[in-house]
Amino acid sequence: DELCVAFDDIHPQAPVHVLICPRKHIATLNDVTAEDEALLAHMFATARKIAQDLGVAQKGYRTVFNVNADAGQTVFHLHLHVIGGRRLTWP
């Protein structure tokens, strides 16, 4: 849509692994400002819709922001992972 794009992860960790990226460049979650709050809410609403559309909303799914290298962020453009389609464990 006009605020973000979503696409399949090239290295999926589950049957459903979609990335949601804002069209606005924000390097990490640490760089989000108060003016970006509505954008983040929109990203989570998009995640909910994707989970419903891909059939994982009822059984369960995970949303994740990786922030910086130690957390596994390799692309420094904010993106929200939507992961589901199998039983997930932690970590």
Side-chain angles (χ1 to χ4, degrees):
D1 62 25
E2 68 281 353
L3 297 177
C4 59
V5 296
F7 50 89
D8 292 329
D9 191 295
I10 62 171
H11 298 294
Q13 302 300 304
V16 170
H17 191 162
V18 176
L19 303 179
I20 302 169
C21 299
R23 292 184 185 273
K24 176 183 177 181
H25 177 69
I26 303 170
T28 77
L29 193 58
N30 291 340
D31 301 303
V32 168
T33 66
E35 77 176 32
D36 300 319
E37 290 176 3
L39 175 59
L40 265 60
H42 180 75
M43 290 173 71
F44 279 106
T46 301
R48 182 180 64 240
K49 182 176 182 339
I50 287 169
Q52 291 168 343
D53 290 350
L54 296 180
V56 297
Q58 294 305 309
K59 289 197 80 167
Y61 62 100
R62 183 173 292 159
T63 57
V64 177
F65 283 113
N66 294 322
V67 182
N68 287 326
D70 279 0
Q73 185 176 8
T74 58
V75 174
F76 287 84
H77 183 102
L78 186 70
H79 54 284
L80 179 63
H81 296 257
V82 179
I83 304 168
R86 68 167 173 82
R87 186 158 192 69
L88 300 172
T89 59
W90 192 262

Coordinates of all heavy atoms in Angstrom, one line a residue:
D1 N 0.8 -1.2 0.0 CA 0.0 0.0 0.0 C 0.9 1.3 0.0 O 2.1 1.1 -0.2 CB -1.0 0.0 1.2 CG -0.3 0.0 2.6 OD1 0.8 0.4 2.7 OD2 -0.9 -0.5 3.5
E2 N 0.3 2.4 0.3 CA 1.1 3.6 0.2 C 2.1 3.8 1.3 O 3.1 4.6 1.2 CB 0.2 4.9 0.1 CG -0.6 5.1 1.4 CD -1.9 4.2 1.6 OE1 -2.2 3.5 0.7 OE2 -2.4 4.3 2.7
L3 N 2.0 3.0 2.4 CA 2.9 3.2 3.5 C 3.9 2.1 3.6 O 5.0 2.3 4.2 CB 2.1 3.2 4.9 CG 1.1 4.4 5.0 CD1 0.4 4.3 6.3 CD2 1.9 5.7 4.9
C4 N 3.6 0.9 3.2 CA 4.6 -0.2 3.3 C 4.4 -1.2 2.2 O 3.4 -1.3 1.5 CB 4.5 -0.9 4.7 SG 2.8 -1.6 5.1
V5 N 5.4 -2.1 2.1 CA 5.4 -3.2 1.2 C 5.6 -4.5 2.0 O 6.3 -4.5 3.0 CB 6.4 -3.1 0.1 CG1 6.1 -1.9 -0.8 CG2 7.8 -3.0 0.6
A6 N 5.1 -5.6 1.5 CA 5.3 -6.9 2.1 C 5.8 -7.9 1.1 O 5.3 -7.9 -0.1 CB 4.1 -7.4 2.8
F7 N 6.7 -8.8 1.5 CA 7.2 -9.8 0.5 C 7.7 -11.0 1.4 O 8.1 -10.9 2.5 CB 8.2 -9.3 -0.4 CG 9.3 -8.5 0.3 CD1 10.5 -9.2 0.7 CD2 9.2 -7.1 0.5 CE1 11.5 -8.5 1.3 CE2 10.2 -6.4 1.1 CZ 11.4 -7.1 1.5
D8 N 7.9 -12.2 0.7 CA 8.4 -13.4 1.4 C 9.9 -13.2 1.7 O 10.6 -12.6 0.8 CB 8.2 -14.6 0.5 CG 6.7 -15.0 0.3 OD1 6.0 -14.8 1.3 OD2 6.4 -15.5 -0.7
D9 N 10.3 -13.7 2.8 CA 11.7 -13.7 3.2 C 12.5 -14.6 2.3 O 12.0 -15.7 2.0 CB 11.8 -14.1 4.7 CG 13.2 -13.8 5.2 OD1 14.2 -14.5 4.8 OD2 13.3 -13.0 6.1
I10 N 13.7 -14.2 1.9 CA 14.4 -15.1 1.0 C 15.1 -16.3 1.7 O 15.5 -17.2 1.1 CB 15.5 -14.3 0.2 CG1 16.5 -13.7 1.1 CG2 14.9 -13.3 -0.8 CD1 17.7 -13.1 0.3
H11 N 15.1 -16.2 3.0 CA 15.6 -17.3 3.9 C 14.6 -17.6 4.9 O 14.8 -17.3 6.1 CB 17.0 -16.9 4.5 CG 18.1 -16.7 3.5 ND1 18.6 -17.6 2.7 CD2 18.7 -15.6 3.2 CE1 19.5 -17.1 1.9 NE2 19.6 -15.8 2.2
P12 N 13.5 -18.2 4.6 CA 12.4 -18.4 5.5 C 12.7 -19.3 6.7 O 13.4 -20.3 6.5 CB 11.2 -18.9 4.7 CG 11.9 -19.6 3.5 CD 13.1 -18.7 3.2
Q13 N 12.2 -19.0 7.8 CA 12.4 -19.8 9.0 C 11.2 -20.6 9.4 O 11.2 -21.3 10.4 CB 12.8 -18.8 10.2 CG 14.0 -18.0 10.0 CD 15.3 -18.9 9.7 OE1 15.6 -19.7 10.5 NE2 15.9 -18.6 8.6
A14 N 10.2 -20.5 8.6 CA 8.9 -21.2 8.8 C 8.1 -21.2 7.4 O 8.5 -20.4 6.5 CB 8.1 -20.5 9.9
P15 N 7.1 -22.0 7.3 CA 6.3 -22.0 6.1 C 5.8 -20.6 5.7 O 5.7 -20.3 4.5 CB 5.2 -23.0 6.4 CG 5.8 -23.9 7.4 CD 6.6 -23.0 8.2
V16 N 5.4 -19.8 6.7 CA 5.0 -18.4 6.4 C 6.1 -17.5 7.1 O 6.4 -17.6 8.3 CB 3.7 -18.1 7.1 CG1 3.4 -16.6 7.0 CG2 2.6 -18.8 6.4
H17 N 6.8 -16.7 6.2 CA 7.8 -15.8 6.7 C 7.8 -14.6 5.8 O 8.4 -14.7 4.7 CB 9.2 -16.5 6.8 CG 10.2 -15.6 7.5 ND1 11.4 -16.2 8.0 CD2 10.2 -14.3 7.9 CE1 12.1 -15.2 8.6 NE2 11.4 -14.1 8.5
V18 N 7.1 -13.6 6.2 CA 6.9 -12.4 5.4 C 7.6 -11.2 6.0 O 7.6 -11.1 7.3 CB 5.4 -12.1 5.2 CG1 5.1 -10.8 4.4 CG2 4.7 -13.3 4.4
L19 N 8.2 -10.3 5.2 CA 8.7 -9.1 5.8 C 7.8 -7.9 5.4 O 7.4 -7.9 4.2 CB 10.1 -8.9 5.2 CG 11.2 -10.0 5.4 CD1 12.5 -9.6 4.7 CD2 11.3 -10.2 6.9
I20 N 7.6 -7.1 6.3 CA 6.8 -5.8 6.1 C 7.8 -4.7 6.3 O 8.4 -4.5 7.3 CB 5.7 -5.7 7.0 CG1 4.7 -6.9 6.9 CG2 4.9 -4.4 6.8 CD1 3.7 -7.0 8.0
C21 N 8.0 -3.9 5.2 CA 8.9 -2.8 5.2 C 8.2 -1.5 4.9 O 7.4 -1.4 4.0 CB 10.0 -2.9 4.1 SG 11.0 -4.4 4.2
P22 N 8.5 -0.4 5.8 CA 7.9 0.9 5.4 C 8.5 1.4 4.2 O 9.7 1.2 3.9 CB 8.2 1.7 6.7 CG 9.4 1.1 7.2 CD 9.3 -0.4 6.9
R23 N 7.8 2.2 3.4 CA 8.3 2.9 2.3 C 9.3 4.0 2.7 O 10.3 4.3 2.0 CB 7.2 3.4 1.4 CG 6.5 2.3 0.7 CD 5.4 2.9 -0.3 NE 4.6 1.8 -0.8 CZ 4.9 1.1 -1.9 NH1 6.0 1.3 -2.5 NH2 4.1 0.2 -2.3
K24 N 9.0 4.5 3.9 CA 9.9 5.6 4.5 C 11.2 4.8 5.0 O 11.1 3.8 5.7 CB 9.2 6.3 5.6 CG 10.1 7.3 6.3 CD 9.4 7.9 7.5 CE 10.3 8.8 8.3 NZ 9.6 9.5 9.4
H25 N 12.3 5.4 4.7 CA 13.6 4.8 5.2 C 13.7 5.1 6.7 O 13.8 6.2 7.1 CB 14.8 5.2 4.5 CG 16.1 4.6 5.1 ND1 16.3 3.2 5.0 CD2 17.0 5.1 5.8 CE1 17.5 3.0 5.6 NE2 17.9 4.1 6.1
I26 N 13.8 4.0 7.5 CA 14.2 4.1 8.9 C 15.1 2.9 9.1 O 14.8 1.8 8.8 CB 12.9 3.9 9.8 CG1 11.8 4.9 9.5 CG2 13.3 3.9 11.3 CD1 10.5 4.7 10.1
A27 N 16.3 3.2 9.6 CA 17.4 2.2 9.6 C 17.0 1.1 10.6 O 17.1 -0.1 10.3 CB 18.7 2.8 10.0
T28 N 16.7 1.5 11.9 CA 16.4 0.5 12.9 C 15.2 1.0 13.8 O 14.9 2.1 13.7 CB 17.6 0.2 13.8 OG1 17.7 1.3 14.8 CG2 18.9 0.0 13.1
L29 N 14.7 0.1 14.6 CA 13.7 0.5 15.6 C 14.2 1.7 16.5 O 13.4 2.5 16.9 CB 13.2 -0.7 16.4 CG 12.0 -0.5 17.2 CD1 10.8 -0.2 16.3 CD2 11.7 -1.8 18.0
N30 N 15.5 1.7 16.7 CA 16.1 2.8 17.5 C 15.9 4.2 16.9 O 16.0 5.2 17.6 CB 17.5 2.5 17.8 CG 17.8 1.4 18.7 OD1 16.9 1.0 19.4 ND2 19.0 0.8 18.6
D31 N 15.7 4.2 15.6 CA 15.6 5.5 14.8 C 14.1 5.9 14.7 O 13.9 7.0 14.0 CB 16.2 5.3 13.5 CG 17.7 4.9 13.6 OD1 18.4 5.7 14.3 OD2 18.1 3.9 13.1
V32 N 13.2 5.2 15.2 CA 11.8 5.6 15.1 C 11.5 6.8 15.9 O 12.0 6.9 17.1 CB 10.9 4.4 15.5 CG1 9.4 4.8 15.7 CG2 11.0 3.2 14.5
T33 N 10.8 7.7 15.4 CA 10.4 8.9 16.2 C 8.9 9.0 16.5 O 8.2 8.1 16.0 CB 10.8 10.2 15.4 OG1 9.9 10.2 14.2 CG2 12.2 10.2 14.9
A34 N 8.5 9.9 17.2 CA 7.1 10.0 17.6 C 6.2 10.2 16.3 O 5.1 9.7 16.3 CB 6.9 11.2 18.5
E35 N 6.7 10.8 15.3 CA 6.0 11.0 14.1 C 5.8 9.7 13.3 O 4.9 9.6 12.4 CB 6.6 12.0 13.1 CG 7.8 11.6 12.4 CD 8.3 12.6 11.4 OE1 8.2 13.8 11.6 OE2 8.9 12.2 10.4
D36 N 6.5 8.6 13.7 CA 6.5 7.3 13.0 C 5.5 6.4 13.8 O 5.3 5.2 13.3 CB 7.8 6.7 13.0 CG 8.8 7.5 12.2 OD1 8.4 8.0 11.1 OD2 10.0 7.6 12.6
E37 N 4.9 6.8 14.9 CA 4.1 5.9 15.6 C 2.9 5.3 14.8 O 2.6 4.1 14.9 CB 3.6 6.6 16.9 CG 4.7 6.8 17.9 CD 4.2 7.6 19.1 OE1 3.0 7.9 19.2 OE2 5.1 7.9 20.0
A38 N 2.2 6.1 14.0 CA 1.1 5.7 13.2 C 1.6 4.7 12.2 O 0.9 3.7 11.9 CB 0.4 6.8 12.6
L39 N 2.8 4.9 11.7 CA 3.4 4.0 10.7 C 3.6 2.6 11.3 O 3.3 1.6 10.7 CB 4.7 4.5 10.1 CG 5.5 3.6 9.2 CD1 4.7 3.3 7.9 CD2 6.8 4.3 8.8
L40 N 4.2 2.6 12.5 CA 4.4 1.3 13.2 C 3.0 0.6 13.5 O 2.9 -0.6 13.3 CB 5.2 1.4 14.5 CG 6.7 1.2 14.3 CD1 7.3 2.2 13.3 CD2 7.4 1.2 15.6
A41 N 2.1 1.3 13.9 CA 0.7 0.7 14.1 C 0.2 0.1 12.8 O -0.4 -1.0 12.8 CB -0.2 1.8 14.7
H42 N 0.4 0.8 11.7 CA 0.0 0.3 10.4 C 0.7 -0.9 10.0 O 0.1 -1.9 9.5 CB 0.2 1.4 9.3 CG -0.2 1.0 8.0 ND1 -1.5 0.9 7.6 CD2 0.5 0.6 6.9 CE1 -1.6 0.5 6.3 NE2 -0.4 0.3 5.9
M43 N 2.0 -1.0 10.3 CA 2.8 -2.2 10.0 C 2.2 -3.4 10.8 O 2.1 -4.5 10.3 CB 4.3 -2.0 10.4 CG 5.0 -1.1 9.4 SD 6.6 -0.7 9.9 CE 7.5 -2.3 9.6
F44 N 1.8 -3.2 12.1 CA 1.2 -4.3 12.8 C -0.2 -4.7 12.3 O -0.5 -5.9 12.3 CB 1.2 -4.0 14.3 CG 2.5 -4.2 15.0 CD1 3.3 -3.2 15.4 CD2 3.0 -5.5 15.2 CE1 4.6 -3.4 16.0 CE2 4.2 -5.8 15.8 CZ 5.0 -4.7 16.2
A45 N -0.9 -3.7 11.9 CA -2.2 -4.0 11.3 C -2.1 -4.8 10.0 O -2.8 -5.7 9.7 CB -3.0 -2.7 11.0
T46 N -1.0 -4.5 9.2 CA -0.7 -5.2 8.0 C -0.3 -6.6 8.4 O -0.7 -7.6 7.7 CB 0.4 -4.4 7.2 OG1 -0.1 -3.1 6.9 CG2 0.8 -5.2 6.0
A47 N 0.5 -6.8 9.4 CA 0.9 -8.1 9.9 C -0.3 -9.0 10.2 O -0.4 -10.1 9.8 CB 1.9 -8.0 11.0
R48 N -1.3 -8.4 10.9 CA -2.5 -9.1 11.3 C -3.2 -9.5 10.0 O -3.7 -10.7 9.9 CB -3.3 -8.2 12.2 CG -4.6 -8.9 12.6 CD -5.5 -8.0 13.5 NE -5.9 -6.9 12.8 CZ -5.7 -5.6 13.1 NH1 -4.9 -5.3 14.1 NH2 -6.2 -4.6 12.3
K49 N -3.4 -8.7 9.0 CA -4.1 -9.0 7.8 C -3.3 -10.1 7.0 O -3.9 -11.0 6.5 CB -4.2 -7.8 6.9 CG -5.0 -8.0 5.6 CD -5.2 -6.8 4.8 CE -6.0 -7.0 3.6 NZ -6.1 -8.3 3.0
I50 N -2.0 -10.0 7.0 CA -1.2 -11.0 6.3 C -1.4 -12.4 7.0 O -1.6 -13.4 6.3 CB 0.3 -10.6 6.2 CG1 0.4 -9.5 5.2 CG2 1.1 -11.8 5.8 CD1 1.8 -8.8 5.2
A51 N -1.3 -12.4 8.3 CA -1.5 -13.7 9.0 C -2.9 -14.2 8.7 O -3.0 -15.5 8.6 CB -1.3 -13.4 10.5
Q52 N -3.9 -13.4 8.7 CA -5.3 -13.9 8.4 C -5.3 -14.4 7.0 O -5.8 -15.5 6.7 CB -6.3 -12.8 8.6 CG -6.5 -12.4 10.0 CD -7.3 -11.1 10.2 OE1 -7.4 -10.3 9.3 NE2 -7.8 -10.9 11.4
D53 N -4.8 -13.7 6.0 CA -4.8 -14.0 4.6 C -4.1 -15.3 4.3 O -4.4 -16.1 3.5 CB -4.2 -12.9 3.7 CG -5.1 -11.7 3.6 OD1 -6.3 -11.7 4.1 OD2 -4.6 -10.7 3.1
L54 N -3.0 -15.6 5.1 CA -2.2 -16.8 4.9 C -2.5 -17.9 5.8 O -1.9 -19.0 5.8 CB -0.7 -16.4 5.0 CG -0.1 -15.4 4.0 CD1 1.3 -15.1 4.2 CD2 -0.4 -15.9 2.6
G55 N -3.6 -17.8 6.6 CA -4.2 -18.9 7.3 C -3.4 -19.2 8.6 O -3.6 -20.3 9.1
V56 N -2.6 -18.3 9.2 CA -1.9 -18.6 10.4 C -2.4 -17.9 11.6 O -2.0 -18.1 12.8 CB -0.4 -18.4 10.3 CG1 0.2 -19.4 9.2 CG2 -0.1 -17.0 10.0
A57 N -3.4 -17.0 11.4 CA -3.8 -16.1 12.5 C -4.4 -16.9 13.7 O -4.2 -16.6 14.9 CB -4.9 -15.1 12.0
Q58 N -5.2 -17.9 13.4 CA -5.9 -18.6 14.5 C -5.0 -19.6 15.3 O -5.0 -19.7 16.5 CB -7.1 -19.4 13.9 CG -8.2 -18.6 13.4 CD -8.7 -17.6 14.4 OE1 -9.0 -17.9 15.6 NE2 -8.7 -16.3 14.1
K59 N -4.1 -20.3 14.6 CA -3.1 -21.2 15.3 C -2.0 -20.4 15.9 O -1.5 -20.9 17.0 CB -2.6 -22.2 14.3 CG -3.6 -23.2 13.8 CD -3.0 -24.4 13.2 CE -2.6 -25.3 14.4 NZ -2.2 -26.6 14.0
G60 N -1.6 -19.3 15.3 CA -0.5 -18.5 16.0 C 0.6 -18.1 15.0 O 0.9 -18.8 14.1
Y61 N 1.1 -17.0 15.3 CA 2.3 -16.5 14.5 C 3.1 -15.5 15.4 O 2.6 -15.1 16.5 CB 1.8 -15.7 13.2 CG 0.9 -14.5 13.5 CD1 1.4 -13.3 13.4 CD2 -0.5 -14.7 13.8 CE1 0.6 -12.1 13.6 CE2 -1.3 -13.6 14.0 CZ -0.7 -12.3 13.9 OH -1.5 -11.2 14.1
R62 N 4.2 -15.2 14.9 CA 5.1 -14.3 15.7 C 5.5 -13.1 14.8 O 5.6 -13.2 13.6 CB 6.4 -15.1 16.0 CG 7.4 -14.3 16.8 CD 8.6 -15.1 17.3 NE 8.1 -16.1 18.2 CZ 8.7 -17.3 18.5 NH1 9.8 -17.6 17.9 NH2 8.2 -18.1 19.4
T63 N 5.6 -11.9 15.5 CA 6.1 -10.7 14.8 C 7.4 -10.3 15.5 O 7.5 -10.4 16.7 CB 5.1 -9.6 14.9 OG1 4.7 -9.3 16.2 CG2 3.8 -9.9 14.1
V64 N 8.4 -9.9 14.7 CA 9.7 -9.7 15.2 C 10.4 -8.5 14.5 O 10.4 -8.5 13.3 CB 10.6 -10.9 15.1 CG1 12.0 -10.6 15.6 CG2 10.1 -12.1 15.8
F65 N 10.9 -7.6 15.3 CA 11.9 -6.6 14.8 C 13.2 -7.0 15.3 O 13.4 -7.2 16.5 CB 11.6 -5.2 15.3 CG 10.5 -4.5 14.7 CD1 9.3 -4.2 15.4 CD2 10.5 -4.0 13.4 CE1 8.3 -3.5 14.9 CE2 9.5 -3.3 12.8 CZ 8.4 -3.0 13.6
N66 N 14.2 -7.2 14.4 CA 15.6 -7.4 14.9 C 16.3 -6.0 14.8 O 16.1 -5.3 13.9 CB 16.4 -8.4 13.9 CG 15.8 -9.8 14.0 OD1 15.4 -10.3 15.0 ND2 15.7 -10.4 12.8
V67 N 16.9 -5.7 15.9 CA 17.5 -4.4 16.0 C 19.0 -4.5 16.2 O 19.5 -4.9 17.2 CB 16.9 -3.6 17.2 CG1 17.5 -2.2 17.3 CG2 15.4 -3.5 17.1
N68 N 19.7 -4.1 15.1 CA 21.2 -4.1 15.1 C 21.8 -5.5 15.0 O 21.1 -6.5 15.1 CB 21.8 -3.3 16.2 CG 21.6 -1.8 16.0 OD1 21.6 -1.3 14.9 ND2 21.4 -1.0 17.1
A69 N 23.1 -5.5 14.8 CA 23.8 -6.7 14.4 C 23.7 -7.9 15.4 O 23.5 -9.0 15.0 CB 25.3 -6.4 14.1
D70 N 23.8 -7.6 16.7 CA 23.8 -8.6 17.7 C 22.4 -9.3 17.8 O 22.3 -10.4 18.3 CB 24.2 -8.1 19.1 CG 25.7 -8.0 19.3 OD1 26.4 -8.3 18.3 OD2 26.1 -7.6 20.4
A71 N 21.4 -8.7 17.3 CA 20.1 -9.3 17.3 C 19.8 -9.9 15.9 O 18.7 -10.5 15.7 CB 19.0 -8.2 17.5
G72 N 20.7 -9.9 15.0 CA 20.5 -10.5 13.7 C 20.1 -9.6 12.6 O 19.8 -10.1 11.5
Q73 N 20.0 -8.3 12.8 CA 19.6 -7.4 11.7 C 20.8 -7.4 10.7 O 21.9 -7.0 11.1 CB 19.3 -6.0 12.2 CG 18.7 -5.1 11.2 CD 18.3 -3.8 11.7 OE1 18.5 -3.4 12.8 NE2 17.7 -3.0 10.8
T74 N 20.5 -7.7 9.5 CA 21.5 -7.7 8.4 C 21.2 -6.6 7.3 O 22.0 -6.2 6.6 CB 21.6 -9.1 7.7 OG1 20.4 -9.5 7.2 CG2 22.1 -10.1 8.7
V75 N 19.9 -6.2 7.3 CA 19.5 -5.2 6.4 C 19.0 -4.0 7.2 O 18.1 -4.1 8.0 CB 18.3 -5.7 5.5 CG1 17.8 -4.5 4.6 CG2 18.8 -6.8 4.6
F76 N 19.7 -2.9 7.0 CA 19.4 -1.7 7.9 C 18.4 -0.8 7.3 O 18.7 0.4 7.0 CB 20.8 -1.1 8.3 CG 21.5 -1.9 9.3 CD1 22.3 -2.9 8.9 CD2 21.3 -1.7 10.6 CE1 22.9 -3.8 9.8 CE2 21.9 -2.6 11.6 CZ 22.7 -3.6 11.1
H77 N 17.2 -1.4 7.1 CA 16.0 -0.7 6.7 C 15.0 -1.4 7.6 O 14.8 -2.7 7.5 CB 15.7 -0.8 5.2 CG 14.4 0.0 4.9 ND1 14.5 1.2 4.2 CD2 13.1 -0.3 5.0 CE1 13.3 1.6 4.0 NE2 12.4 0.7 4.5
L78 N 14.3 -0.7 8.4 CA 13.3 -1.3 9.4 C 12.4 -2.3 8.6 O 11.9 -2.0 7.6 CB 12.5 -0.2 10.0 CG 11.5 -0.6 11.1 CD1 12.3 -1.0 12.3 CD2 10.5 0.5 11.4
H79 N 12.2 -3.5 9.2 CA 11.3 -4.5 8.7 C 10.8 -5.3 9.8 O 11.5 -5.7 10.7 CB 11.9 -5.3 7.6 CG 13.2 -6.0 7.9 ND1 14.4 -5.3 8.0 CD2 13.5 -7.3 8.2 CE1 15.4 -6.2 8.4 NE2 14.8 -7.4 8.5
L80 N 9.5 -5.7 9.7 CA 8.8 -6.5 10.6 C 8.6 -7.9 10.0 O 8.1 -8.1 9.0 CB 7.5 -5.9 11.0 CG 6.6 -6.6 12.0 CD1 7.2 -6.7 13.3 CD2 5.2 -6.0 12.1
H81 N 9.1 -8.9 10.8 CA 9.0 -10.3 10.3 C 7.6 -10.8 10.8 O 7.2 -10.6 12.0 CB 10.0 -11.2 11.0 CG 11.4 -10.9 10.5 ND1 12.1 -11.7 9.6 CD2 12.3 -9.9 10.9 CE1 13.3 -11.2 9.4 NE2 13.5 -10.1 10.2
V82 N 6.9 -11.5 10.0 CA 5.7 -12.3 10.3 C 6.0 -13.7 10.0 O 6.3 -14.1 8.9 CB 4.5 -11.8 9.5 CG1 3.2 -12.6 9.8 CG2 4.2 -10.3 9.6
I83 N 6.0 -14.5 11.1 CA 6.5 -15.9 11.0 C 5.4 -16.8 11.6 O 4.9 -16.6 12.7 CB 7.8 -16.1 11.8 CG1 8.9 -15.1 11.3 CG2 8.3 -17.5 11.7 CD1 10.1 -15.0 12.2
G84 N 5.1 -17.9 10.8 CA 4.1 -18.8 11.3 C 4.0 -20.0 10.4 O 4.8 -20.2 9.5
G85 N 3.0 -20.9 10.6 CA 2.8 -22.0 9.8 C 3.4 -23.3 10.4 O 3.4 -24.4 9.8
R86 N 4.0 -23.2 11.6 CA 4.6 -24.3 12.3 C 4.6 -23.9 13.8 O 4.6 -22.8 14.1 CB 6.0 -24.8 11.8 CG 7.1 -23.8 12.1 CD 8.4 -24.4 11.8 NE 9.5 -23.4 11.9 CZ 10.1 -23.0 13.0 NH1 9.7 -23.5 14.2 NH2 11.1 -22.2 13.0
R87 N 4.9 -24.9 14.6 CA 5.0 -24.6 16.1 C 6.3 -23.9 16.2 O 7.4 -24.4 15.8 CB 5.0 -25.9 16.9 CG 5.0 -25.7 18.4 CD 4.4 -26.9 19.1 NE 4.1 -26.7 20.4 CZ 3.1 -26.0 20.9 NH1 2.4 -25.3 20.1 NH2 2.9 -25.9 22.2
L88 N 6.3 -22.8 16.9 CA 7.5 -22.0 17.1 C 8.1 -22.2 18.5 O 7.3 -22.3 19.4 CB 7.3 -20.5 16.8 CG 6.7 -20.2 15.4 CD1 6.3 -18.7 15.4 CD2 7.8 -20.4 14.4
T89 N 9.4 -22.2 18.6 CA 10.0 -22.3 20.0 C 10.8 -21.0 20.2 O 11.0 -20.2 19.3 CB 10.9 -23.5 20.0 OG1 11.9 -23.4 19.0 CG2 10.1 -24.8 19.8
W90 N 11.3 -20.9 21.4 CA 12.1 -19.7 21.8 C 13.3 -20.1 22.6 O 13.1 -20.9 23.6 CB 11.2 -18.7 22.5 CG 11.9 -17.4 22.6 CD1 12.6 -16.9 23.7 CD2 12.0 -16.4 21.7 NE1 13.1 -15.7 23.5 CE2 12.7 -15.3 22.2 CE3 11.5 -16.2 20.4 CZ2 13.0 -14.1 21.5 CZ3 11.7 -15.1 19.7 CH2 12.5 -14.0 20.3
P91 N 14.5 -19.7 22.4 CA 14.9 -18.9 21.2 C 15.1 -19.8 20.0 O 15.6 -20.8 20.0 CB 16.1 -18.2 21.7 CG 16.7 -19.0 22.8 CD 15.5 -19.8 23.4

